[in-house]
Amino acid sequence: MSCFHYPKIDMKLTGQRLREECQRKNFTVKDIQNYLQIGAFQSVYAWFSGKALPSLDNMYALSYLLGRSIDELIVPQKKRILSEESSYSMEYATKDK
């Protein structure tokens, strides 16, 4: 293996994307809370602000509700690619939309 990439999620940008997609479909925080059957609407606000991410089950349900794939909802952090020769060698790139 000459290079590997460990993907990480940009929580803040993912939260913004979730909020934008919900607004685009005219879903309120209360709508999301009811659809996912979660007890506290604060969880949804935490997702939208990037302080937390939905569980995989909730992300899957949101993708269905919003008509987007999970990959379309998740925003990756800048990629860090490490080579075998040096664990300090880094190359940065961003995922295009």
Side-chain angles (χ1 to χ4, degrees):
M1 178 167 71
S2 61
C3 294
F4 68 90
H5 164 67
Y6 183 81
K8 292 187 179 184
I9 296 170
D10 187 316
M11 290 175 55
K12 187 170 181 114
L13 292 179
T14 297
Q16 288 175 0
R17 182 166 293 164
L18 287 171
R19 183 180 59 242
E20 289 166 1
E21 289 298 321
C22 288
Q23 288 172 343
R24 191 173 66 77
K25 293 278 192 164
N26 295 317
F27 290 122
T28 66
V29 169
K30 189 72 171 167
D31 293 333
I32 301 299
Q33 177 192 7
N34 290 335
Y35 177 74
L36 297 175
Q37 300 177 352
I38 54 178
F41 63 89
Q42 291 89 344
S43 297
V44 180
Y45 282 116
W47 302 340
F48 288 176
S49 67
K51 294 179 182 171
L53 290 171
S55 68
L56 184 57
D57 286 343
N58 286 337
M59 185 65 88
Y60 180 72
L62 282 170
S63 74
Y64 182 81
L65 177 68
L66 299 171
R68 300 283 185 189
S69 71
I70 291 176
D71 280 347
E72 290 175 308
L73 296 176
I74 293 174
V75 179
Q77 285 182 346
K78 290 183 177 181
K79 296 176 184 177
R80 188 174 104 181
I81 301 172
L82 302 175
S83 70
E84 237 177 48
E85 296 81 34
S86 170
S87 62
Y88 300 106
S89 161
M90 288 184 248
E91 179 182 319
Y92 290 92
T94 56
K95 180 179 176 186
D96 295 333
K97 272 188 165 184

